[in-house]
Structure formats: C-alpha cells, structure tokens
C-alpha cells in the first residue's frame, strides 16, 4: 500500500470528519476538482472503492496515514553475510 502524501492526508482527515468535497476545498483553499483528484488517489492507495467504503475502512480501524504502508521485511537490503 502506498503512503498518502501530506495533501492527501489533510483531505482524508477532513473527509473523515464528515466534510463534503466543497467544504474540504474551501478549508484547504483548493478547487473541488483538486480535492476530487486527491480523493481518487486516496481511494486507490488504501483500496477503497468510494467515499463510503473509505469511511467504512476507517471505522473498522484501517490505518490511512503514512503508517499504512506495509512494513519492509527485515532481510530486504540486508547484505550482511553475502
């Protein structure tokens, strides 16, 4: 899973507060089209189909921030002993 960018994170936080696309755009001084683009990227990165699915994932405790990326196995990049 890819990490959310700082802008995507801000959009996601406002979305999770229940704000509309228009409200998010106004709060972040972005166009609604830009907010929709960020939302599209968020959905793709967290595996959500739409806003409702994203909210359901959040309600179930799925993590949406930078910590949402899967951990790197300890042996990746470890060249000790090779």
């Amino acid at each position: 899973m890819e990490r959310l960018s700082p802008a995507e994170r801000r959009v996601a936080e406002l979305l999770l507060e229940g704000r509309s696309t228009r409200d998010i755009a106004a709060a972040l001084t972005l166009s609604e089209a830009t907010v929709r683009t960020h939302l599209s990227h968020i959905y793709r990165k967290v595996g959500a189909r739409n806003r409702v699915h994203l909210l359901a994932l959040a309600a179930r405790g799925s993590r949406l921030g930078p910590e949402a990326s899967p951990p790197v196995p300890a042996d990746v990049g470890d060249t000790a002993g090779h």
Side-chain angles (χ1 to χ4, degrees):
M1 186 178 298
E2 294 178 56
R3 292 182 179 202
L4 298 181
S5 71
E8 292 163 351
R9 179 90 175 142
R10 287 190 302 272
V11 168
E13 288 168 352
L14 293 174
L15 178 85
L16 294 174
E17 289 177 7
R19 302 230 195 159
S20 69
T21 300
R22 180 176 288 177
D23 290 342
I24 295 168
L28 300 177
T29 59
L30 300 171
S31 72
E32 288 182 46
T34 298
V35 171
R36 284 190 294 274
T37 298
H38 285 313
L39 289 171
S40 176
H41 294 165
I42 293 164
Y43 300 154
R44 179 182 50 79
K45 288 179 178 183
V46 302
R49 293 180 299 275
N50 53 40
R51 180 183 297 246
V52 173
H53 190 210
L54 179 69
L55 293 171
L57 290 173
R60 285 197 329 233
S62 295
R63 296 159 74 172
L64 303 178
E67 63 280 356
S69 296
V72 176
D75 60 344
V76 171
D78 181 10
T79 57
H82 291 194

